[in-house]
């Protein structure tokens, strides 16, 4: 079933929001209640890592919300892709938090707790887990937009709306490609101690800009 004009929140969206809320809760419940003032100060010092992790979760939720505000799909394939995405989000929370805390503790020299990484192999494993979750999420988001494009007739999308669905599908697929490249560097052990698998994501900015420029030139005339 499809509906582009419905304004109410569907059960699918309501369930999805509940899962995102639970993922955010996991970030909080993983914090121990401070037993003394020193422990409280240590947790406050870890606020930066928590804020970045929470911000990343909100960014993913925003991408998810935008899709359903555009297309309001609730057919079986959409439910499957959405459920897989939510599953990955729950998995993704802890590698993301661990990697963020590692950066604050090991690179910046401060944080709520000291993260112990024994060697480059352990750090490579953390990067691999992070990139695997990142890749899976955006493969699923790209697949959801691809599905919307294939259902463009049922959704009654005009030429510009259909172009937008195809463009956003490619856009998020680029995110997945970056995740695969990062994962490849981590598995191969290339530049691990310099954080190269993480720094590679910076290239997403210029790549997405170039893709946006290329796609806009092919945008249908309204």
């Amino acid at each position: 079933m499809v509906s582009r004009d419905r304004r109410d929140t569907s059960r699918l969206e309501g369930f999805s929001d509940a899962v995102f809320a639970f993922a955010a809760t996991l970030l909080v419940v993983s914090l121990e209640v401070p037993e003394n003032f020193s422990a409280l100060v240590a947790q406050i010092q870890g606020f930066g890592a928590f804020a970045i992790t929470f911000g990343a979760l909100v960014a993913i939720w925003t991408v998810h919300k935008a899709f359903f505000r555009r297309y309001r799909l609730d057919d079986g394939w959409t439910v499957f892709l959405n459920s897989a995405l939510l599953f990955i989000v729950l998995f993704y929370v802890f590698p993301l938090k661990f990697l963020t805390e590692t950066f604050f503790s090991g690179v910046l020299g401060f944080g709520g707790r000291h993260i112990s990484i024994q060697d480059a192999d352990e750090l490579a494993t953390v990067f691999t887990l992070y990139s695997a979750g990142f890749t899976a999420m955006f493969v699923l988001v790209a697949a959801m937009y691809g599905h919307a494009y294939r259902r463009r007739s049922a959704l009654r999308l005009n030429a510009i709306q259909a172009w937008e669905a195809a463009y956003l599908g490619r856009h998020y697929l680029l995110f997945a490609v970056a995740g695969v490249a990062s994962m490849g560097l981590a598995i191969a052990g290339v530049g691990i101690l310099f954080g190269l698998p993480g720094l590679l994501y910076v290239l997403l900015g210029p790549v997405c800009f170039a893709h946006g420029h290329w796609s806009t030139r092919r945008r249908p005339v309204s």
Side-chain angles (χ1 to χ4, degrees):
M1 296 177 63
V2 296
S3 176
R4 189 174 177 85
D5 299 321
R6 190 179 59 199
R7 299 301 180 188
D8 62 309
T9 300
S10 69
R11 295 187 65 187
L12 184 59
E13 288 179 272
F15 172 73
S16 300
D17 287 344
V19 172
F20 275 103
F22 179 67
T25 302
L26 289 177
L27 296 178
V28 178
V29 298
S30 63
L31 298 175
E32 297 181 358
V33 177
E35 298 179 352
N36 50 56
F37 180 75
S38 297
L40 175 62
V41 171
Q43 283 202 4
I44 293 175
Q45 289 177 341
F47 178 78
F50 174 81
I52 291 176
T53 308
F54 182 77
L57 185 63
V58 170
I60 297 166
W61 173 80
T62 301
V63 169
H64 180 274
K65 182 190 72 170
F67 174 84
F68 283 100
R69 286 295 178 269
R70 286 186 175 100
Y71 307 115
R72 314 294 287 189
L73 284 163
D74 59 4
D75 61 295
W77 186 238
T78 302
V79 170
F80 171 78
L81 292 173
N82 184 68
S83 298
L85 176 60
L86 296 177
F87 177 83
I88 297 300
V89 166
L90 292 174
F91 160 83
Y92 180 72
V93 165
F94 290 113
L96 174 61
K97 185 178 181 183
F98 186 86
L99 190 60
T100 306
E101 289 186 344
T102 299
F103 173 77
F104 271 78
S105 176
V107 179
L108 300 183
F110 65 92
R113 57 178 177 150
H114 177 68
I115 303 298
S116 177
I117 297 290
Q118 299 298 324
D119 51 37
D121 288 340
E122 288 190 358
L123 185 57
T125 300
V126 174
F127 274 124
T128 301
L129 289 173
Y130 170 83
S131 296
F134 185 92
T135 300
M137 280 193 304
F138 285 104
V139 164
L140 290 166
V141 171
M144 289 167 69
Y145 274 102
H147 180 58
Y149 178 77
R150 289 190 296 273
R151 298 294 304 276
R152 59 189 180 277
S153 296
L155 286 167
R156 298 181 181 178
L157 303 183
N158 59 36
I160 293 179
Q161 291 167 340
W163 168 87
E164 181 185 51
Y167 161 70
L168 289 171
R170 293 192 306 269
H171 174 78
Y172 289 117
L173 195 59
L174 289 174
F175 281 57
V177 170
V180 170
S182 176
M183 188 162 45
L185 290 176
I187 293 173
V190 177
I192 297 298
L193 295 179
F194 298 100
L196 186 59
L199 293 175
L200 184 142
Y201 288 101
V202 176
L203 295 177
L204 271 175
V207 170
C208 288
F209 175 82
H211 171 249
H213 178 72
W214 177 84
S215 298
T216 300
R217 293 178 62 183
R218 290 158 177 78
R219 184 175 185 268
V221 178
S222 58

